[in-house]
Structure formats: C-alpha cells, structure tokens
Amino acid sequence: MDTDTVRSPAADDSAGRRREQRGWYFYDWACSVYSTSVLTVFLGPYLTSVAEAAADAEGFVHPLGVPVRAGSFFAYAVSLSVVVAVLVMPLVGAAADRTGRKKPLLAAAAYTGAAATAGMFFLDGDRYLLGGLLLVAANAAQSVAMMLYNSYLPQIAPPEERDAVSSRGWAFGYAAGALVLVANLVLYTGHESFGVSESMAVRICLASAGLWWGAFALIPLRRLRDRRTPAREAALPGFRQLAATVRDMRRHPLTLAFLLAYLVYNDGIQTVISQASVYGSKELGLGQSTLIVAVLLVQVLAVAGALLLGRLARRYGAKRTILGSLVAWTLTLAAGYFLPAGAPAWFFVLAAGIGLVLGGSQALSRSLFSQLVPPGKEAEYFSAYEISDRGLSWLGPLLFGLTYQLTGSYRDAIVSLVGFFVLGFVLLARVPVRRAIADAGNPAPQRI
C-alpha cells in the first residue's frame, strides 16, 4: 500500500475545517449586500417617498389608524424590526444550542430575509405598508441569521485561527457589498439608457440584493454542519430567555465586562456609520453622488482594513489591536471636526480612515467574544452579542441629535461621539482577557 496517499485523521479534520470556514465566509458574502445596498443606500429614501405619496394633506400616513409623519415611517419600521429581533433572537439561540441544529434555523432566517428583500420589487405607488412589513421581516431575519452565523465561529476555528477567520468573513462581506453597489449605481445613474424609470431601477436594486442573498446562502448551507449537543432545558419565552442568558453571564463576569465595553464603543461605531452622510450633506454641503462614492470607498477599504487588522492581531493579539483601532477611531472623528465645507476630497480621506478601521474592529470584536463564550452556549451568548450590536445602539444617535439641538452644529455633534471610543477603550483595557477565556472554560491562544 502506498502510504504517501493515505491521509491522517488530523489532515482530514483540518481539510474539513477549512472547507467549513470557506463556506462560512460566503454567508457574509451573501447577506452583506442587504446592509449596503438596501439599508444604507436605497431603501430609506425610496420608502420615505412611497410613504409621502400615500400621506394625507398634512403629511401623515395612518398605519393601523395611528398617525405617523411620512418622513418618520422608515425610522419607526427599523425600530420595530429591532424589537422583533430582540424577542426572537434569544428563543432561536437557545433552541439552536439545545438541539445542535443551527443550519435549519439559519436557512429559515436567511431565506425569510432574502424573500422579504426580493419582495421589495413590488414596492411601488403608495404601498408604504407593504414596504414597512417587508423591512421589518428582512431586518429582523438578518439579525437572527447573523446571530446563528456568528455562533458557528467557535466551532469551525480553533482559538489561534479565529481572528484571521473572522477578519476574512468581514472582508468577504465588504467585498460583496462594494461589488453589488457598483452594479446598482451603474443601473441607477444610467436608468434612462437601460430603458427603465428611476423608481423601477431602485426596485430592481432592492430585489437584486434579495436574490443575491438567497443564491449565495446555498454555499454555507451546503458546507456548514451541525454538532450534537447535550440535551438542555426548553427555551423560555422572549425576554425571559434573554434574562436567563444574562443571569448565566453573571456567572462569567469578565465575559459580561467585555460585552459592556463592546456595547459602548460599538454604539459609537454604529452612530458614525448612520450619521456620517448627514454630516456630509448638512454640514459640509456635499451632494448625493459624493456621499454614495464615499460609501463605496468605505466598503472597498474595509476589505483591506479587516485583513490588515487580522494580521496585526496575529502579531500583537486581538485585544491590543482593537484598542489601537479605538485610538484610530478617536483621531478620525477629531479630524472630521475640522473638515472644510464643500471639499469632497477631504471627506473621502475621512471615509478612507473609517473604512480602514471599520471592518477590523468589528471582526476582531467578534472573534475575541467567541473566546469568552462557554462551550455549548454559542448561539445563546451570540444572541446577546447581536442584541448589543443592533438593538442597543440608540444612545449614540440620541447624543448626536441632542448635541445638534443644543449647539446647532453638526461639527459639535460628530465630535461628541469621541466619548464612546474613549470610554470603550478604558473599559476594554481593564478586561483581563486571558483570565476571562479560562473562566469561560476555553483554551487561550498564544496571543490575545
């Protein structure tokens, strides 16, 4: 027998792990176009215009008989989707951990979101209620699917690989977002040459994100595998399950301390993402085309940033690299305060700075948290992580809005967000990560 052709069990295990990891990357590739093209660029303005078309003479629509200003409908729909996600994620997370069958749940969430997004093609005329329902379904499903997707990370990558694997996943997502956004912008800006109306072009862009999501989700669903887990008690309803998860986290106070630090600095990150275009248009007087190019620049550079910070984490450890990224966030915001109005080039420099630290700080936060999760509770703990990521990022926008209301300056509003990064730095620096990993019952990588 030719022993050179015999693969060892360890080699087979490594090959299987690599195959799963490559499949895992493709879920970020599949779903990130929803965040980029749908939520960030097209849906907000378009759904608002649809609501305005359905509004009465005073500018109100009346979903379920409740008077709502048309310009606020999109924001309220996003908020409702967060409430739905907060109710559903702990239940799904506990069920995934109890049964070990994450893949069917991931498939259900992914295809619910993809179908709702594809259904936005029919959002025309005054169908604002349809748009609101589809947005709630898609956004909540995206949150649930991302929670399940993230919870695979501890199972498909040993501790020493997680920073790199997480960073590659983010890079795949930003690359897909940039690629599809380029195609969308070609269609949108040249819609007349393609023989379609502006409204039809937007609807095609929205629907194409759902089709992309559904098509590429097949790859991770084929390659990821479920793991059997010991039988556990039944999941509790809604907030009771979330409360039970938080009570369990109290047995791991260092994990909770990291989650608190993440909650603070991620609130700053999410606020910068959501308010940068407002700052660019209202304070700097930049046009829509400039802002869209800036979004595309962020997407492209976030790919490089995620991979670069992943490399730095292998050399210096994830915690030190995240702390360094928070310093970079602080300096970027401080520089943003001094940007001259009507100067797109300097706004592009700011967008480049955001892009370079955006993907890496998020990717490494995910991989570091995965080290702090007790084995067998990945989905349950990542439901709390996802709620921190999506459901609790309200304080930053509130501070931004209050600062503008009190000062009348978007410059003061943008620089007020520095506090989130400074406080997040202090809280993270105080977490003894190596001890936290040991307390969670996990082996520590050589560099953390």
Side-chain angles (χ1 to χ4, degrees):
M1 185 176 181
D2 185 359
T3 57
D4 290 339
T5 63
V6 177
R7 293 174 59 87
S8 69
D12 288 337
D13 183 64
S14 177
R17 187 172 73 248
R18 300 291 182 218
R19 186 175 187 275
E20 275 198 279
Q21 288 172 1
R22 287 191 292 270
W24 186 80
Y25 301 148
F26 268 96
Y27 188 73
D28 236 325
W29 175 272
C31 73
S32 290
V33 299
Y34 167 80
S35 300
T36 304
S37 290
V38 177
L39 273 186
T40 303
V41 177
F42 289 110
L43 185 58
Y46 185 69
L47 182 55
T48 300
S49 70
V50 172
E52 288 171 347
D56 59 23
E58 297 179 347
F60 285 85
V61 290
H62 300 268
L64 303 179
V66 179
V68 173
R69 192 171 293 279
S72 300
F73 182 74
F74 174 73
Y76 289 152
V78 172
S79 298
L80 179 59
S81 74
V82 171
V83 173
V84 172
V86 167
L87 288 170
V88 174
M89 277 194 289
L91 287 172
V92 175
D97 287 335
R98 187 179 71 253
T99 64
R101 292 179 57 80
K102 293 180 187 177
K103 193 157 67 168
L105 294 170
L106 176 60
Y111 282 102
T112 297
T117 305
M120 292 176 187
F121 178 80
F122 302 101
L123 178 57
D124 62 349
D126 59 359
R127 297 178 179 175
Y128 76 96
L129 268 180
L130 174 64
L133 290 172
L134 292 174
L135 170 57
V136 170
N139 221 34
Q142 162 77 329
S143 297
V144 173
M146 284 302 295
M147 174 266 293
L148 293 165
Y149 164 72
N150 287 337
S151 71
Y152 270 101
L153 181 59
Q155 298 178 336
I156 65 172
E160 64 275 7
E161 293 182 3
R162 286 183 200 167
D163 293 338
V165 170
S166 183
S167 296
R168 289 189 200 111
W170 277 104
F172 265 60
Y174 282 116
L179 179 63
V180 174
L181 185 56
V182 168
N184 289 163
L185 291 179
V186 169
L187 174 62
Y188 177 72
T189 57
H191 62 87
E192 291 182 353
S193 62
F194 289 103
V196 298
S197 66
E198 182 178 347
S199 172
M200 176 62 78
V202 172
R203 289 159 53 202
I204 292 172
C205 291
L206 294 173
S208 67
L211 296 176
W212 178 284
W213 187 355
F216 284 103
L218 290 171
I219 298 174
L221 291 173
R222 285 179 62 87
R223 293 195 174 188
L224 293 171
R225 61 185 180 86
D226 288 328
R227 274 85 171 165
R228 292 184 178 274
T229 58
R232 293 176 57 198
E233 66 277 4
L236 299 170
F239 284 112
R240 288 180 59 194
Q241 180 60 55
L242 177 60
T245 301
V246 173
R247 283 196 301 272
D248 188 74
M249 279 185 166
R250 292 174 63 183
R251 297 172 49 235
H252 304 281
L254 298 180
T255 299
L256 204 55
F258 172 82
L259 193 60
L260 175 61
Y262 173 74
L263 187 155
V264 171
Y265 67 75
N266 182 65
D267 201 349
I269 292 173
Q270 297 303 320
T271 306
V272 172
I273 293 171
S274 65
Q275 301 302 321
S277 61
V278 175
Y279 182 67
S281 62
K282 300 298 184 182
E283 184 68 33
L284 304 181
L286 303 176
Q288 183 67 25
S289 60
T290 299
L291 298 176
I292 293 176
V293 171
V295 170
L296 183 58
L297 180 63
V298 169
Q299 295 293 310
V300 172
L301 289 180
V303 177
L307 297 176
L308 174 62
L309 266 66
R311 288 180 178 272
L312 291 176
R314 287 201 295 273
R315 182 169 182 178
Y316 300 106
K319 179 182 174 180
R320 289 191 185 93
T321 306
I322 295 171
L323 290 173
S325 76
L326 297 181
V327 173
W329 274 107
T330 301
L331 295 176
T332 300
L333 286 185
Y337 179 85
F338 297 101
L339 287 185
W346 286 110
F347 189 71
F348 291 150
V349 172
L350 180 70
I354 291 173
L356 287 173
V357 293
L358 174 63
S361 54
Q362 292 176 315
L364 294 178
S365 296
R366 175 172 65 184
S367 62
L368 185 54
F369 182 71
S370 74
Q371 312 271 12
L372 310 180
V373 176
K377 296 187 176 182
E378 292 85 4
E380 187 178 338
Y381 271 56
F382 267 106
S383 71
Y385 179 88
E386 193 69 17
I387 289 169
S388 298
D389 187 12
R390 296 171 186 266
L392 299 180
S393 296
W394 56 269
L395 186 57
L398 177 62
L399 178 62
F400 186 92
L402 287 175
T403 304
Y404 176 74
Q405 181 173 328
L406 293 172
T407 67
S409 169
Y410 282 107
R411 294 184 187 273
D412 292 338
I414 202 76
V415 84
S416 70
L417 303 178
V418 166
F420 288 94
F421 297 101
V422 173
L423 180 57
F425 181 99
V426 172
L427 292 174
L428 178 58
R430 297 180 62 185
V431 178
V433 173
R434 188 172 295 277
R435 182 152 61 90
I437 294 173
D439 288 351
N442 295 316
Q446 184 176 1
R447 294 189 183 277
I448 52 174

